[in-house]
Amino acid sequence: MHLHRLEKIWLSIGVSMLVIFLIVIGTMAFSMGMTPPSEHHHTIDPTKVTETAPFDKPAMTQIEDMHYEAVLVAYAFGYDPQTLEVPVGSTVDFKVTSSDVVHGFEIVGTNVNMMIEPGEVSHVSHTFDKPGEYLILCNEYCGTGHEFMKTTIVVK
Ligand code: CUA
């Protein structure tokens, strides 16, 4: 069958559009479903938080001089462990997850402010240069005890 030149052009445009469309869809599916987990976004089974390391033993641990790791579990309505303490000048790598609903993690007087979602591990690091008692609180409404959901980190 002989096609007119114009018809051939239109046909090739149609085919190109289809190819572009498929590439776009493919790229979107790839970026949504197959992105490797970044360092700041780990997943965890929210029903097994208390059995999954390191959240089976929430604690502040020293990694090296002036460098600590704080593993915390947020729950309705509090944080485990209850109190944290580090020397002045320490850098603390916080690893936080939730064992129930969405909570917040804000350290008053710092720029630390993150959302804690069940099934996700949220990471943030902060260097505490000034001594004091820093209030950590939940800034996501999580139920009747929301406003009492807080803990402290003592820097001295
Ligand atoms: Cu937890 Cu509000």
Side-chain angles (χ1 to χ4, degrees):
M1 192 178 108
H2 178 261
L3 287 171
H4 279 286
R5 226 173 104 178
L6 201 60
E7 282 175 336
K8 275 188 190 162
I9 291 169
W10 279 113
L11 188 65
S12 58
I13 289 173
V15 170
S16 312
M17 295 290 278
L18 185 66
V19 168
I20 290 166
F21 179 75
L22 289 175
I23 289 170
V24 169
I25 293 291
T27 312
M28 279 169 69
F30 184 80
S31 59
M32 282 192 298
M34 297 168 78
T35 320
S38 77
E39 218 194 316
H40 296 270
H41 197 83
H42 294 156
T43 54
I44 181 173
D45 183 344
T47 62
K48 295 202 174 84
V49 167
T50 53
E51 303 151 43
T52 312
F55 298 101
D56 53 339
K57 294 187 192 87
M60 175 81 88
T61 14
Q62 187 166 11
I63 303 169
E64 55 189 21
D65 198 29
M66 305 307 267
H67 193 180
Y68 292 78
E69 182 183 72
V71 172
L72 288 111
V73 176
Y75 61 92
F77 302 97
Y79 298 92
D80 199 14
Q82 276 299 310
T83 48
L84 304 160
E85 198 181 304
V86 288
V88 182
S90 301
T91 297
V92 182
D93 299 337
F94 292 92
K95 271 190 190 175
V96 194
T97 194
S98 167
S99 57
D100 41 47
V101 296
V102 174
H103 294 286
F105 186 83
E106 179 181 352
I107 307 179
V108 179
T110 72
N111 57 3
V112 174
N113 189 354
M114 46 182 194
M115 195 190 265
I116 312 303
E117 292 170 82
E120 306 283 340
V121 178
S122 299
H123 298 236
V124 71
S125 288
H126 186 74
T127 302
F128 294 90
D129 291 323
K130 291 195 192 106
E133 208 168 289
Y134 292 76
L135 188 62
I136 298 176
L137 39 91
C138 177
N139 53 16
E140 293 288 333
Y141 183 75
C142 53
T144 49
H146 163 69
E147 55 228 85
F148 307 109
M149 186 168 168
K150 57 188 76 149
T151 187
T152 46
I153 175 162
V154 179
V155 179
K156 60 184 188 184

